[in-house]
Amino acid sequence: MLTLNLSSSLKKGLETQIIGQTIHLFREIYSTNDMAKELALIGAKEGTVLVAETQTHSKGRLGREWISPEGGLWFSLILRPKIFPEDASKLTLLAGVVVAKTLEKLYHLRAEVKWPNDVLIDGKKVCGILTESSTKGRYLSFVVIGFGINANFLVSKLPASLGDSATTLREELDKEISIEALLRALLEEMEYYYIIFNKGDFETVLAEWRRLAKFLGSYVYVRSLNEKVEGWATDVDEHGALIVKLKDQTSRKIVAGDVTIR
Ligand code: BTN
């Protein structure tokens, strides 16, 4: 289990220059994303990380509730990239790549990404990502990326309605993992891809994302803000929008929504 002396031991071995140079640990918190936004508004540095053992009001995408039992890895990261607001969603894809690659590297799991914010193992969700941003003038002032990783607990700790669609690392590996080692590896991988992103090379991130997006080519149902679309998920574009080819052979770009794979 995560302990409050994690911060110093974690930072000792952490090989990053920006990400995780400041880490705040909480036994219980409202929501690491909400707290991160509050800290960002009062000037918290880029790379600041907030980790909680449990959250009482954690949030998922589209205003949904997120359940954060003890044993999970629940954390948020503050970034201040010099990008336009419409490009913030690229960081959600980047974060998905970071999580999937880290699970591959550390535990040899065949993790995959599902547009826009899920990481799956064998079709079951093991991680959700929530990106929230704030703008100043034409540019972003900050982005908070929240990571919810189902780590050291059994699926039975989640609501029964999620039972078939969610998994945890504990279930997949049949043992507990070191939360500290996982968080350190994630922060290092995050820094690696964030440097690439800041050089303007989103193509490298996208190439990795496509490799990990096993659902591409599948028939999908997409519920976006104001419409329902179905067709073949063919690709993501250079802004991170999902491209769906409809039965009438036209293509639709989806900027925000939920995907169900048939
Ligand atoms: C989703 O799949 O809908 C996104 C879930 C994101 C959950 C994480 S847990 C840490 C951070 N704090 C929150 O309140 N939400 C994110």
Side-chain angles (χ1 to χ4, degrees):
M1 195 172 76
L2 198 67
T3 60
L4 290 178
N5 58 22
L6 174 127
S7 182
S8 53
S9 62
L10 171 73
K11 279 197 60 190
K12 233 184 251 165
L14 184 65
E15 292 179 2
T16 60
Q17 304 297 316
I18 319 161
I19 311 286
Q21 287 307 302
T22 303
I23 299 179
H24 300 290
L25 290 167
F26 300 88
R27 166 77 191 88
E28 182 177 281
I29 196 179
Y30 198 74
S31 147
T32 55
N33 260 42
D34 283 348
M35 178 61 116
K37 284 190 286 179
E38 284 172 30
L39 291 185
L41 282 172
I42 57 169
K45 272 206 240 144
E46 164 152 276
T48 299
V49 170
L50 292 83
V51 195
E53 285 187 39
T54 56
Q55 304 173 99
T56 54
H57 292 77
S58 43
K59 309 172 304 177
R61 276 175 69 242
L62 311 171
R64 292 186 191 126
E65 185 189 15
W66 180 263
I67 308 294
S68 315
E70 260 184 35
L73 174 52
W74 322 120
F75 74 101
S76 300
L77 165 66
I78 300 171
L79 294 178
R80 297 184 181 277
K82 292 189 181 51
I83 56 172
F84 294 118
E86 58 270 28
D87 285 329
S89 54
K90 291 178 178 176
L91 288 166
T92 308
L93 300 191
L94 185 151
V97 167
V98 164
V99 174
K101 286 203 73 169
T102 303
L103 298 184
E104 271 182 347
K105 276 191 196 171
L106 289 189
Y107 316 116
H108 308 291
L109 287 169
R110 276 200 285 157
E112 51 188 282
V113 292
K114 184 183 144 216
W115 189 90
N117 71 322
D118 294 345
V119 178
L120 314 178
I121 298 171
D122 269 338
K124 295 187 176 190
K125 182 162 170 168
V126 71
C127 166
I129 294 159
L130 176 64
T131 306
E132 299 184 272
S133 52
S134 168
T135 50
K136 194 174 186 187
R138 289 181 61 218
Y139 291 97
L140 274 187
S141 156
F142 64 80
V143 182
V144 166
I145 308 178
F147 297 79
I149 303 183
N150 298 338
N152 287 337
F153 61 87
L154 294 171
V155 172
S156 55
K157 292 272 183 217
L158 296 173
S161 57
L162 295 179
D164 284 347
S165 58
T167 190
T168 71
L169 295 178
R170 169 79 177 72
E171 302 270 0
E172 296 298 324
L173 300 167
D174 213 16
K175 63 172 189 196
E176 297 218 337
I177 52 110
S178 158
I179 292 283
E180 181 180 323
L182 174 57
L183 181 55
R184 189 188 293 121
L186 287 166
L187 299 182
E188 287 171 356
E189 194 75 9
M190 188 70 208
E191 179 145 310
Y192 176 80
Y193 277 102
Y194 188 53
I195 289 171
I196 291 176
F197 178 81
N198 274 339
K199 286 183 185 153
D201 180 11
F202 188 55
E203 263 310 311
T204 295
V205 178
L206 267 190
E208 264 312 299
W209 194 88
R210 287 184 182 115
R211 179 183 75 78
L212 294 160
K214 303 284 186 285
F215 79 101
L216 286 179
S218 306
Y219 197 82
V220 294
Y221 299 96
V222 187
R223 209 163 353 104
S224 68
L225 291 180
N226 39 25
E227 60 176 351
K228 284 184 184 164
V229 170
E230 59 177 82
W232 291 268
T234 55
D235 203 358
V236 279
D237 74 4
E238 69 280 13
H239 300 289
L242 182 69
I243 301 172
V244 178
K245 191 167 157 198
L246 311 188
K247 278 187 179 147
D248 66 7
Q249 301 301 310
T250 60
S251 287
R252 195 70 72 80
K253 274 186 188 179
I254 314 287
V255 182
D258 255 347
V259 170
T260 309
I261 303 165
R262 194 173 71 175

